[in-house]
Every structure is written in structure tokens, then in C-alpha cells.
Amino acid sequence: MNSSSSNATTASTTNTNGLSPINQFELWSPFEILRETAPHVITIDRVVTPIWYIIGFIGNPISAKIWLSRKVSSSNSSAVYFGSLAIVETLYLILHVIYELHVAWGYNTYHTRVSCEIFNFLFLTPQYMVPILVLGFTTERYIAVCHPFVKEKYCTVTRAKIVIGCMSASSVVFGLVQVYIWAFNDDLGRKSFNRATTSDYSPTCNGKALCSETFVLNEMGDQ
């Protein structure tokens, strides 16, 4: 094993002042960690993920068009749930492309001020909404099958639209938490392997808990 590989797999490094050893993985992006520890994972990701993109970007719009057509959705409340689910999944795939460019290809697609928080908010919101939509659809089917006498009262298109609107608002509220959790930090950067020197760092988008933990370690080293 050569010296560069040995340095790359070392579990700890020092801060910029050379005073305190800290976990070097805290300064790396997911792409850099995988590139050094499990490069085959990146290769599989780059091959498999585009296949799912093709299926999703073709299938979801077709499903949404069918389920939300006036002929189908005018008297079928379940169609409203299915159509909404297809739209949410399409939006998620679009955001996942941005995420994939960062994780699997190493591009800093959202590592800037404001976009760091906004992207994580947008990226997590549809992930909150999908299971809630499935829960809503499942509840409606439960009512229709197990309590058929109240089906006409609760399983209506109008009620389905109201429920989906409330679900959307709830997902947005849950997603707003990500604005607090994530923050752009240009002091604690991500050390890149393609840099000429080991002291160069680039700004990154980190979880605030991770940033705080590393900040405390550096402060302890300074003392």
C-alpha cells in the first residue's frame, strides 16, 4: 500500500492549527468517503440509478395523466390519491437528480448559501408526503371495504382533495425543520482529495449537529 492510500484511509486528522486530532470523515463529502472506502458502490449507483430515472420519468407522468383525467377522477376519490402520488414522485425524482450529481458524481450542486437550506427542505418535503398519501389512501380503502355504509360520506373526491391539501401543508411544515437542521458553513469545509495541499478546504453544506460537534473538538484543541 502506497503512502497516499495510507493517508486517505487514516481515521483521524488535525485541525487547521495542527492542535487537535479530529475525525477526517467529518470534513469529507459522502462522495469522497465512498470514493476512498467503497468505490464499487459509486459505480453501482451510477449504473442503476439512471435506470430508475428512466422508469420514473416516463411512468409517473403517464400515471398522473391517467388518474387525474376528468373521466377517471371525477367520480373516483382513489384516483386523486394515485395521481397526486405520481406528481409528488416526479418532483422527488427531479430533486434526486441534483442530489445524485453530488453524491455519486462529486459535483457541488447545492453547496452555496441559502441553496443549502432550501434544497434540503425541498428534497425532504416530498419524502414526507409520499407515506402520508399512502396512509390516506389506505385509510380510505379501509373505510370503503370495512364500513361500506359510510363510504358515500367519507370517500368522496371533494374530501380527498381537502385531505391531500392538509397533507401537503403538513409535509411542508415537517420539511421546514430541515432549514434549521442544515446550514452552509464556510469555516468548516470539506477537504478534497483533488487539492494540491492538505490544508485547503472548500465550503460545504453540513448538518448543524455535525458542525457543532467539530467546532467543539477544535475549541478543545485550542485550549
Side-chain angles (χ1 to χ4, degrees), residues 182-213:
W182 294 89
F184 180 82
N185 193 323
D186 52 7
D187 294 323
L188 173 62
R190 187 192 73 242
K191 186 168 71 172
S192 302
F193 280 108
N194 58 357
R195 298 283 182 168
T197 64
T198 58
S199 61
D200 286 339
Y201 293 86
S202 59
T204 188
C205 179
N206 287 327
K208 287 188 177 179
L210 173 61
C211 296
S212 300
E213 178 183 354

Side-chain angles (χ1 to χ4, degrees), residues 23-43:
N23 188 348
Q24 67 178 5
F25 291 124
E26 294 176 353
L27 306 178
W28 295 353
S29 70
F31 172 76
E32 289 171 331
I33 295 175
L34 289 175
R35 185 178 62 183
E36 296 302 318
T37 60
H40 59 281
V41 174
I42 296 179
T43 302

Side-chain angles (χ1 to χ4, degrees), residues 102-220:
H102 169 60
V103 175
W105 297 90
Y107 293 101
N108 289 338
T109 50
Y110 55 91
H111 288 259
T112 60
R113 293 189 180 278
V114 181
S115 66
C116 168
E117 294 87 346
I118 292 178
F119 175 80
N120 284 283
F121 159 65
L122 296 175
F123 188 57
L124 269 294
T125 297
Q127 296 184 57
Y128 291 132
M129 190 168 181
V130 167
I132 297 177
L133 284 172
V134 174
L135 175 63
F137 167 77
T138 304
T139 303
E140 186 191 60
R141 289 299 87 200
Y142 167 78
I143 294 174
V145 173
C146 298
H147 304 279
F149 295 107
V150 296
K151 174 185 176 182
E152 298 299 327
K153 179 180 179 181
Y154 294 104
C155 302
T156 63
V157 174
T158 301
R159 187 176 293 272
K161 293 179 179 179
I162 295 175
V163 171
I164 291 173
C166 295
M167 290 178 175
S168 301
S170 300
S171 299
V172 170
V173 172
F174 294 152
L176 285 174
V177 178
Q178 301 301 321
V179 176
Y180 172 77
I181 294 176
W182 294 89
F184 180 82
N185 193 323
D186 52 7
D187 294 323
L188 173 62
R190 187 192 73 242
K191 186 168 71 172
S192 302
F193 280 108
N194 58 357
R195 298 283 182 168
T197 64
T198 58
S199 61
D200 286 339
Y201 293 86
S202 59
T204 188
C205 179
N206 287 327
K208 287 188 177 179
L210 173 61
C211 296
S212 300
E213 178 183 354
T214 308
F215 175 76
V216 170
L217 288 172
N218 289 338
E219 288 297 311
M220 292 175 61

Side-chain angles (χ1 to χ4, degrees), residues 1-30:
M1 181 179 295
N2 56 33
S3 59
S4 61
S5 299
S6 177
N7 292 334
T9 56
T10 302
S12 64
T13 185
T14 58
N15 60 13
T16 55
N17 296 325
L19 297 177
S20 173
I22 60 176
N23 188 348
Q24 67 178 5
F25 291 124
E26 294 176 353
L27 306 178
W28 295 353
S29 70

